[in-house]
């Protein structure tokens, strides 16, 4: 093999075990992303309940939930196509 450039996959290099591992990794990434999204949904529902329950004082009493929601939001974004796994 040449180390000068990217290695291209051929039929000989794509064994079923490698493909199975690739699909397993992809499924694991999708599951992890889905768990993050569902956790964020739960925090958002708790935040909505807190806003409704606290009404006027929601800015002081719901601050921890807002900070947690904003911290977890970038990780739970649904993007386009997942990155290619080598």
């Amino acid at each position: 093999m040449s180390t000068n450039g990217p290695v291209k996959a051929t039929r000989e290099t794509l064994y079923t075990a490698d493909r199975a591992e690739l699909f397993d990794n992809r499924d694991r990434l999708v599951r992890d992303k889905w768990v993050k999204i569902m956790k964020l949904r739960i925090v958002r529902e708790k935040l909505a309940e807190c806003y409704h329950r606290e009404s006027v004082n929601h800015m002081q009493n719901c601050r921890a939930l807002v900070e947690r929601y904003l911290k977890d939001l970038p990780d739970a974004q649904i993007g386009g196509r997942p990155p290619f796994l080598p």
Side-chain angles (χ1 to χ4, degrees):
M1 278 192 196
S2 171
T3 58
N4 295 340
V7 177
K8 295 193 177 200
T10 62
R11 287 183 189 219
E12 293 80 26
T13 61
L14 289 178
Y15 298 110
T16 55
D18 295 336
R19 292 180 66 203
E21 183 180 347
L22 178 72
F23 290 131
D24 289 342
N25 286 338
R26 184 184 64 184
D27 290 344
R28 182 184 47 79
L29 286 175
V30 169
R31 274 194 308 273
D32 290 346
K33 182 65 87 170
W34 190 251
V35 167
K36 288 179 183 179
I37 291 169
M38 290 298 113
K39 283 182 180 179
L40 190 67
R41 180 184 285 183
I42 291 169
V43 172
R44 184 173 52 232
E45 290 171 356
K46 288 181 180 180
L47 184 60
E49 290 174 10
C50 184
Y51 280 166
H52 183 70
R53 184 179 61 242
E54 299 297 334
S55 66
V56 178
N57 297 326
H58 70 275
M59 292 185 78
Q60 291 95 13
N61 298 338
C62 302
R63 179 179 291 278
L65 285 173
V66 170
E67 289 172 355
R68 181 174 174 191
Y69 184 78
L70 291 176
K71 181 184 70 107
D72 293 343
L73 184 63
D75 294 335
Q77 297 277 331
I78 298 177
R81 185 175 176 177
F84 177 74
L85 299 173

